[in-house]
Amino acid sequence: MRTMAAVGFHAYGGPDAVRLVEVPVPEPGPGEVRVRVRMTTVNPADVQYRRGDHAAFVPDALPPFVGGLELVGTVDAVGEGVDLLPGATVAGSSHFIPGGRGSHAELVVTGAGAVAPCPAGVDEVALATVPMNGLTARVVLDTLALPPGATVVVTGAAGAVGGYVVELASAAGLEVVAVASSTDEELVVGLGATAFVPRGDDVAQEVRARHPDGVDAVVDAAMLDAAALPMVRDGGRLLTLRPGHVPPPERGIEPRLVSFRRYQDRPDVLADLLALSASGGLTTRVAEVLTPHRGAEAHALAETPGLRGRVVLAFDA
Ligand SMILES: NC(=O)c1ccc[n+]([C@@H]2O[C@H](COP(=O)([O-])OP(=O)(O)OC[C@H]3O[C@@H](n4cnc5c(N)ncnc54)[C@H](OP(=O)(O)O)[C@@H]3O)[C@@H](O)[C@H]2O)c1
């Protein structure tokens, strides 16, 4: 059996659980592609997976577990019915749910529709931060489908998803109220926020003081949960990004969980996001690029509050 190196963990735990592991090389099935990974990001979901938060979603997976949802690499092999050419440079998303193994590896298998060609001449490290979080932001905007001029509050606006939502919402003509740390005001205003509210216990009062009837929608990327509801007008929208963080309905507001997986098989949407990033319309941020043998450090850094930009693992270094 052929094996490969991956960044993973044999048991759930802290960053110290993370190490270089050896796992079987995955084979692409019909409609799938195998990518030789060059860059792959460490997202909050990878940290959650390592802590054991997603154990129920990978009931049949065997250790070592390997996270990883976003990647840039080279098409290495294709399954039946796939017309991508081996050797093409692509960016895309994968998932460790339900199989237990994602893109923190030399090779990853994902759906052929989950990857799109990388625009030429663009930094691959930056592009690796686009697929999953960019698709999430696009799902958010398309789910809300608000008309230009509507007002949306984005909590966690300085984060990866929040930042992309601010930028895409602003480009769609929405009024964006960004909630983030005071030190991030310049950043989120630069991304297109038209108003800023510093994070804290009185965010909802502050938003209501400026919008007495409440705002049209809240995108809760900071998991304020029920504390986010008072900002929303009667009959407005609240979107959250994690299971277990959906507050109960009230005043005609039906809070809803959204996932990037709605667009995981939409290479056209992904290609648009990659092109937008290449043209400067989607601002990518990278905190650090580390080699796979520094996986534990990458996880520790990724879960450090106040980190801005994504941690990237470079398998080609
Ligand atoms: N459903 C999906 O498909 C999907 C996809 C992507 C992400 N997600 C989830 O969405 C969430 C956000 O992801 P992300 O990648 O954007 O995370 P991120 O980059 O870590 O950003 C989260 C941001 O929220 C800030 N924050 C924390 N508490 C806050 C508060 N009370 N008020 C305002 N801001 C606050 C954080 O600041 P500090 O760093 O200072 O704490 C950080 O800037 C995560 O829970 C992730 O798992 C879900």
Side-chain angles (χ1 to χ4, degrees):
M1 183 180 57
R2 278 176 69 206
T3 63
M4 63 176 183
V7 172
F9 40 94
H10 287 270
Y12 299 124
D16 289 351
V18 177
R19 59 205 69 231
L20 266 186
V21 296
E22 204 66 24
V23 292
V25 168
E27 294 301 328
E32 292 182 329
V33 61
R34 184 170 67 200
V35 180
R36 181 163 292 281
V37 176
R38 285 203 290 277
M39 304 295 162
T40 179
T41 51
V42 183
N43 277 291
D46 301 314
V47 168
Q48 293 152 17
Y49 183 28
R50 190 209 70 227
R51 289 177 180 159
D53 299 354
H54 299 306
F57 303 118
V58 291
D60 302 322
L62 296 173
F65 307 110
V66 175
L69 296 159
E70 292 178 306
L71 59 122
V72 164
T74 309
V75 174
D76 173 72
V78 298
E80 200 186 310
V82 176
D83 57 9
L84 283 162
L85 290 178
T89 297
V90 293
S93 63
S94 57
H95 214 311
F96 48 77
I97 293 172
R101 300 209 173 123
S103 60
H104 292 171
E106 288 181 292
L107 294 156
V108 67
V109 166
T110 190
V115 302
C118 284
V122 185
D123 176 22
E124 292 186 354
V125 177
L127 285 182
T129 68
V130 172
M132 196 265 301
N133 291 306
L135 289 177
T136 306
R138 183 53 80 198
V139 169
V140 162
L141 269 294
D142 290 357
T143 303
L144 290 176
L146 292 168
T151 302
V152 59
V153 167
V154 181
T155 73
V161 175
Y164 289 157
V165 171
V166 170
E167 227 166 358
L168 294 180
S170 164
L174 305 185
E175 297 293 319
V176 182
V177 181
V179 179
S181 298
S182 300
T183 47
D184 290 317
E185 180 170 358
E186 199 180 322
L187 167 77
V188 295
V189 169
L191 294 175
T194 39
F196 175 80
V197 173
R199 66 194 265 185
D201 294 339
D202 50 1
V203 166
Q205 294 96 298
E206 183 64 32
V207 168
R208 276 285 174 157
R210 299 180 194 193
H211 301 271
D213 296 332
V215 296
D216 297 303
V218 171
V219 178
D220 189 18
M223 308 303 136
L224 302 191
D225 301 354
L229 267 174
M231 296 186 245
V232 184
R233 68 167 167 78
D234 293 359
R237 314 286 300 277
L238 187 146
L239 299 186
T240 186
L241 299 168
R242 278 174 64 185
H245 293 267
V246 189
E250 65 173 44
R251 297 180 289 113
I253 307 160
E254 301 267 350
R256 206 175 137 186
L257 172 69
V258 291
S259 167
F260 82 99
R261 293 187 90 157
R262 175 175 161 198
Y263 282 164
Q264 200 178 14
D265 198 23
R266 287 289 302 270
D268 55 328
V269 178
L270 175 57
D272 282 351
L273 289 163
L274 296 172
L276 196 58
S277 147
S279 66
L282 198 65
T283 305
T284 55
R285 290 171 291 151
V286 173
E288 192 124 14
V289 183
L290 296 170
T291 54
H293 73 273
R294 294 171 74 185
E297 200 181 321
H299 268 249
L301 191 57
E303 67 183 5
T304 304
L307 181 82
R308 295 294 172 261
R310 205 96 292 179
V311 177
V312 177
L313 291 169
F315 271 83
D316 70 345

